[in-house]
Amino acid sequence: MEYLKLNEMTTTDSTGDSLFHNVPPAPDIPVYATTVAYNKDPSTNKLHLGIGVYRTEDGKSHTLNVVRQVEQTLANDLSADKEYLPRTGMAEFNRLSAELIFGSGSPAIKESRVTTAQCVSGCGSLRLGAEFLAQHYRQLVVYLPEPTYGNHPNLLSAAGLALKTYRYYDPKTRGLDFQGLLEDLGSALTGAIVLFQASGHNPTGVDPTCQQWEQIRQLVRLRGLLPFFDCAYQGLVSGSLDADAQSIRMFVCDGGESLVAQSYSKTMGLYGERIGSLSIVCKTADVARRVESQLRLVIRPLYSNPPIHGAAIVTAILKDRDLYNEWTSELKAMSDRLAKVRQQLYDALCNRGTPGDWSHIIRQVGMYTFTGLNEEQVRFMTKEYHIYMSSDGRINMGGLSSKAVPHLADAIHAAVTRII
């Protein structure tokens, strides 16, 4: 009887509206909208240079041979289980990740001044670092390079950090605006957080030189700023794991504090495994222990603890000399291929007599090239040549094959000669 009355009341009083009827539709995220458009395009000559994935000559996502080997070994290990990991993740993974980024002989590691937590790839590492800073750091302002990776503002502001920018890219030279960078960081709020990309800057492909990094380090320490590094391409930019981590190691060697978000998505092709880490370098071992205790509390309501599989793959590769050597060999081959297609694209544009100076293509490094193409030119290339890329002119060089270079060069040539 009570059920019937409740049912009648619910039916009679209902307006038919959803409880969520006030929720507006979300805007498209450009990089994903580009992928959707590419997938819908029936053209057999289409080219996807938008989302940052390293692909084979056939346009497939590249799975490293060493990763396939390790996964087979893991699948055959009947002693393995699926028990929860600790909140900060797999201890051996954390140790090996810290050694990879800081160097096995790092004084900070030897003195136990580094605490590392396994995270949900690079984005999760950045978000965990931002959450920690929002709760435990005195200055809630973070300076981002202009431009920067599109998800950086979302990840940091979602934790409650206030965003400011510093000059980084000079569109006139298509290189680094070093003087602007120094001026902006020189006038930054004392104690503010500064986000740096360790190497292979996304989206510009423009990195400071070692000498410039040293000047940046001195200014950051002089101004009492807190560096927060995003390291997503270690070994993929120059082909050397040590060279691509040099900027970070400069800051660690001076004894100061810093944060480093690390990702294995690009460097091991583990995009869907979502595996990365956050390391916080502290002044003393005691501070590092206290920071780690607080990281555990921050992690608990976010995702409780991280997944096993990706960490198991990375750990197996980093701890075994033969697997490690095979990985670094594959990583070097990937880096070399990026440099090769850069040169091929530059040569193709020169051979076509394409108006303008295109030398920035071979000066820029890593996964991305900031072409200098404008939005109208990009739309033209999509419509007429079925080439999908970021509207700001960024090209993912990892998605470009040698056989597709002539098609892309034709499109760029047509765009810059027909669309001013």
Side-chain angles (χ1 to χ4, degrees), residues 308-319:
I308 293 175
H309 190 63
I313 295 171
V314 174
T315 301
I317 292 171
L318 295 184
K319 74 178 183 180

Side-chain angles (χ1 to χ4, degrees), residues 288-328:
R289 283 190 294 271
R290 285 185 276 140
V291 166
E292 182 171 328
S293 72
Q294 291 295 338
L295 280 178
R296 293 193 193 102
L297 293 184
V298 177
I299 289 167
R300 177 62 174 157
L302 287 178
Y303 52 86
S304 192
N305 43 35
I308 293 175
H309 190 63
I313 295 171
V314 174
T315 301
I317 292 171
L318 295 184
K319 74 178 183 180
D320 182 277
R321 182 182 297 275
D322 291 337
L323 293 174
Y324 179 88
N325 289 339
E326 184 171 351
W327 170 55
T328 55

